[in-house]
Amino acid sequence: WMYWLTSNGDSQRLRQNFEMVLQDVENALEASGGPFFMGKTITIVDLMFAPFLERMAASLLFFKGYMMRVPKGTKSQCPNLNKWFDAMETLDSYQLTKSDYYTHCWDLPPQLGGCTYEEGGEPYENAINGLRSLDGKQGSWELPLRDGFVSSGEPDWDWAGDENAARREAVERLSFNHEAIVKFAARGAGRKGMPPYMAALADPNAVPNEAVQTGIDSILRVVCMALLEGTDNHDTTMDKLAVTVVKEGGSDYTDGIIASLSYLRERVGVPRDMKLHAARQLRAHLNWAISKVLTAQES
């Protein structure tokens, strides 16, 4: 996996080598009777494999376009491995520690010294990054949110609760630590820290722009209300707030607000900050707010 993920060499050979090892894993699961490596009960073997298999499924899709996990009912080269993932996701302990594809794919490169892209991964890269769903119909972090596989190639977290619960979780996480989150978001309009870090999303020494914090705070309050009550009930409020930002703040201030909201959206980590359903809702609602400010700026 790591050889293929990080190498600029013979990709076809490295893929074949990986698939040979993956088949050994598939065979071991089949021989055990599944769904776990030692049969019907989870053991330390599953715990040892879990962080690696989870990262493989995310990174190989993002960087190589190689899909290990498939939608339920879809034919797969590794059906027993898919059953293993499904079984793991029934465990409360695993649900609490499971990350999402986006978080993995941005965390891995600095840990491994970089990952190499292949053309087949580009649609999945764009989808996982929230830019465009796999069917090309909308952004994958755009309301209304759609099925995970259609949107980004990542399975839906059906076990994580319904979308109303996800929106409430996002609001709870935002409001619980709102002052620190506002200050953190303002780094997007501030100064980069020194020394720089290899991890693209990490900048612990960044200096936030205090001038935009009041505006960020106001927008995040409306985002929270929209999460709880629906964007339709808060479109007018956000439209007015966006116009105020543009008219009273000016061009540089508005750019700083957009940069700060984008900075926050790109750094919502799973499970560090919240579960995937909640993270998708927050990312999409931040995009809703950003689009309102951009529309006001353009007009």
Side-chain angles (χ1 to χ4, degrees), residues 22 25-26 29 53 68 78-86:
L22 188 63
V25 174
E26 177 70 11
L29 285 166
L53 290 172
M68 288 172 54
C78 41
N80 292 298
L81 181 57
N82 275 266
K83 291 176 184 176
W84 177 85
F85 274 116
D86 292 340

Side-chain angles (χ1 to χ4, degrees), residues 24-297:
D24 288 340
V25 174
E26 177 70 11
N27 293 342
L29 285 166
E30 183 176 13
S32 76
F36 300 109
F37 279 97
M38 301 302 289
K40 297 186 181 302
T41 304
I42 188 171
T43 68
I44 195 169
V45 179
D46 302 283
L47 304 183
M48 294 295 289
F49 270 87
F52 294 97
L53 290 172
E54 190 179 312
R55 285 162 175 79
M56 288 177 200
S59 61
L60 291 179
L61 187 66
F62 186 92
F63 292 101
K64 309 295 183 180
Y66 186 88
M67 184 175 285
M68 288 172 54
R69 293 208 65 185
V70 299
K72 290 181 180 178
T74 303
K75 188 175 181 180
S76 168
Q77 296 181 45
C78 41
N80 292 298
L81 181 57
N82 275 266
K83 291 176 184 176
W84 177 85
F85 274 116
D86 292 340
M88 290 293 290
E89 289 170 357
T90 66
L91 305 172
D92 291 342
S93 55
Y94 184 67
Q95 293 175 9
L96 289 171
T97 59
K98 180 175 169 59
S99 189
D100 71 334
Y101 284 11
Y102 176 80
T103 304
H104 277 319
C105 293
W106 281 93
D107 283 353
L108 272 172
Q111 296 176 40
L112 302 179
C115 299
T116 59
Y117 292 86
E118 293 183 19
E119 186 175 349
E122 185 175 0
Y124 299 102
E125 176 194 349
N126 290 335
I128 291 168
N129 280 337
L131 301 178
R132 181 59 50 187
S133 61
L134 290 176
D135 62 8
K137 292 184 177 180
Q138 66 177 69
S140 45
W141 294 347
E142 182 181 326
L143 296 172
L145 288 169
R146 303 164 68 210
D147 173 81
F149 265 110
V150 172
S151 179
S152 67
E154 179 169 8
D156 266 334
W157 291 23
D158 298 328
W159 43 264
D162 62 25
E163 294 301 332
N164 287 329
R167 288 189 284 268
R168 290 193 298 271
E169 180 183 352
V171 171
E172 189 275 332
R173 301 311 302 156
L174 268 180
S175 58
F176 176 76
N177 200 24
H178 69 279
E179 291 182 0
I181 290 171
V182 167
K183 187 174 181 180
F184 176 81
R187 291 179 175 184
R191 299 194 312 273
K192 292 184 179 297
M194 291 298 293
Y197 280 69
M198 182 179 177
L201 299 183
D203 191 2
N205 298 319
V207 180
N209 183 343
E210 295 183 1
V212 300
Q213 290 186 31
T214 300
I216 295 167
D217 181 75
S218 297
I219 288 173
L220 291 183
R221 289 172 187 269
V222 179
V223 165
C224 285
M225 294 305 298
L227 280 161
L228 293 173
E229 299 175 352
T231 54
D232 289 347
N233 293 315
H234 294 278
D235 270 326
T236 300
T237 302
M238 188 61 82
D239 285 334
K240 291 179 179 178
L241 182 53
V243 169
T244 300
V245 165
V246 173
K247 287 189 174 181
E248 297 189 9
S251 177
D252 289 345
Y253 182 84
T254 302
D255 288 343
I257 291 289
I258 294 168
S260 298
L261 295 174
S262 300
Y263 185 94
L264 177 61
R265 176 199 63 204
E266 292 162 4
R267 288 160 177 80
V268 178
V270 176
R272 180 195 62 198
D273 302 318
M274 57 193 74
K275 293 192 288 290
L276 175 60
H277 272 24
R280 289 183 70 213
Q281 287 288 345
L282 178 54
R283 292 162 181 163
H285 280 75
L286 288 172
N287 273 339
W288 167 73
I290 291 168
S291 70
K292 293 290 188 182
V293 177
L294 286 170
T295 300
Q297 189 179 45

